[in-house]
Amino acid sequence: MMNLVNRRKFLAGVPVAILAAHQARSAFAQNIQPREKKGVMLMNRIGPSSSELYIANADGTGERKFLQSSTFDYHASYAPDGKWVLFTSERNGDGQSDIFRCRPDGSGVEPLVAAPSVEDAAALSPDGTRLAFVSTREGYRANVWVLDLASKQLRNLTGAENVQSDPAGPDGFFRPSWSPDGQWLAFSSDRNTDWRGHDEGKGWEHTQELSIYVIRADGQGFRRVASKPGYCLGSPKWSPDGKRVVFYEMTTEETWGARRPNLVASVVSQIVSVDVQTGERIVHTSGPGLKVYPQFLSATEIAYHRKGGADEGLAYASGRPGFKGALRSPTWSPDGKTVIYEKVDFKPRPQNKLLYSWDSEWEYRHTDVFPILSPDGKLIVYRAHHPKTEQEIKDYKDLLAQNLIRPTYLEIWTMKADGSDKRQITDLGAASFAPAFYPDGKHIIFSSNVGSTGGMGNFELYGIDLEGKSLERLTFTDGFDGFPMFSPDGKKLVWISGRNGKVPHETNVFIADWVP
């Protein structure tokens, strides 16, 4: 039985900053160090663990896998003549996105652009000679680049001084689309906007304001064709006659909800088009639902993706029947008869799975959320929940299908740095998380709401030894205390706390002397 020790005299914290960040904690695992490398960096990736392309008829029938061999593939697009399909793939390494193409039957896969930078959102020109795509090369900013497929010459189309904006603010360029005559490209950009968080600027996640721009293929004629203050306009596509550009439109605040599985069903957006010469607007949809990825199938028909909620799937602005299904990033063939899209999975990656390394001197591997390495590099501490009963397993899988977890019960675990010998340390029946090792490497500090009632309750800091004994409470302030971490010399403790907050849910960073 665990012994709870009262240490009220501990932690007379002093706030040092108003921050809401903690760790995307990476560590260097000494006992899995590969040859001729400085070491291993463990990192977590928040997002799908797999993504496969599927092809189906426009009404959803005949669905099948598009590629014979698929690793992590997404963001497909048809060539204007329908003879090629371009897509982004991480087959060169988990986490490294490059651009490939194949035939419409999925055969003949070949690389087009492969580099250490991020390459994505490829679009082939109508004559098939030039490739527009988004890349972070030369500056780690997303720009639209054009590749001449014959000469292999590359050009940063949005890199000109009159196109770029203040580098201290958002300055990205996304989703290029060729006009039918091959003379223009449309794209979205957040240039000349502000950094802002969700929840009216109080949150940690950046919410994005985008406008639609066009530029000639030679870099001339750059101008904005659609903008709405406080709104995000994205994924532009041209009409068959080249006179209009269609895009989705939602409030900047709702770009947060559009990325959150628990909020996506409540987000509202509409499909809008503008005349690129006059700016005349037409709103093609109405009502609730997140509507994205629009595409002209003809002069009178626009297809789009309905994301999240009971009606998730593909839809058409004319009201003709679409089909329901959990999918992402659809692209329709030039004749509108077939559609390619991706299906994703969120099953956890294996611990220590090899990832693409952007630094040749270090090896990158996957690790779970909030892991911490012991001072001697032999153990990893982490939080986990392993459902046991049939009902627990069912509830877990149902939530996982929605990309959700319920953090009601989390326990503290350790394992060796190679992922073996997993051991449960706590058995509190509470939400215990964000563990870290004491300086002595023999104890663990963590946050838990053990003993709380109602809602998520009161989170305090606790300590425990590696045998799961000598549990002691370290903080005694109602609210939230979490994400503790010791200084390298073991003399200071830093953590996040809701104490002294001026508004609900405000957290501050506190630091205190650590007296063993």
Side-chain angles (χ1 to χ4, degrees), residues 24-75:
R25 295 169 172 172
S26 300
F28 303 116
Q30 299 173 7
N31 65 339
I32 54 174
Q33 183 174 341
R35 292 181 180 179
E36 301 179 357
K37 298 282 187 179
K38 287 184 176 180
V40 173
M41 187 169 83
L42 300 175
M43 58 190 298
N44 180 260
R45 180 177 180 180
I46 300 175
S49 56
S50 67
S51 178
E52 291 187 284
L53 296 177
Y54 282 75
I55 187 170
N57 298 322
D59 62 1
T61 61
E63 181 186 80
R64 59 198 182 279
K65 287 187 178 182
F66 178 58
L67 300 173
Q68 294 180 353
S69 176
S70 182
T71 51
F72 201 109
D73 307 311
Y74 48 95
H75 293 170

Side-chain angles (χ1 to χ4, degrees), residues 47-120:
S49 56
S50 67
S51 178
E52 291 187 284
L53 296 177
Y54 282 75
I55 187 170
N57 298 322
D59 62 1
T61 61
E63 181 186 80
R64 59 198 182 279
K65 287 187 178 182
F66 178 58
L67 300 173
Q68 294 180 353
S69 176
S70 182
T71 51
F72 201 109
D73 307 311
Y74 48 95
H75 293 170
S77 67
Y78 276 96
D81 62 5
K83 294 181 179 181
W84 293 98
V85 173
L86 296 89
F87 60 95
T88 303
S89 179
E90 298 184 11
R91 56 191 61 211
N92 287 333
D94 194 346
Q96 173 57 29
S97 60
D98 296 310
I99 293 170
F100 291 74
R101 72 176 178 181
C102 67
R103 293 299 183 180
D105 62 359
S107 65
V109 174
E110 60 183 37
L112 288 179
V113 184
S117 51
V118 172
E119 325 293 340
D120 192 18

Side-chain angles (χ1 to χ4, degrees), residues 2-5 7 425-426 428 436 438 443-447 460-466 468-475 486 514:
M2 297 180 183
N3 179 34
L4 183 62
V5 179
R7 293 178 60 179
I425 304 301
T426 63
L428 302 178
Y438 277 39
H443 296 79
I444 297 167
I445 188 171
F446 62 97
S447 179
E460 301 288 353
L461 299 185
Y462 291 83
I464 196 169
D465 66 26
L466 294 181
K469 300 176 181 179
S470 301
L471 178 72
E472 52 183 342
R473 181 172 171 177
L474 304 176
T475 56
F486 287 99
W514 174 254

Side-chain angles (χ1 to χ4, degrees), residues 243-295:
K243 294 181 177 181
R244 306 190 70 84
V245 170
V246 66
F247 50 89
Y248 70 79
E249 182 178 276
M250 73 178 81
T251 66
T252 300
E253 178 64 28
E254 289 200 297
T255 62
W256 161 246
R259 300 192 295 268
R260 298 290 298 175
N262 58 322
L263 301 175
V264 63
S266 64
V267 174
V268 177
S269 68
Q270 304 302 340
I271 303 302
V272 180
S273 72
V274 296
D275 185 301
V276 295
Q277 294 299 325
T278 68
E280 176 213 13
R281 281 171 52 95
I282 298 177
V283 181
H284 298 275
T285 60
S286 62
L290 175 56
K291 311 166 193 71
V292 290
Y293 276 94
Q295 180 178 330

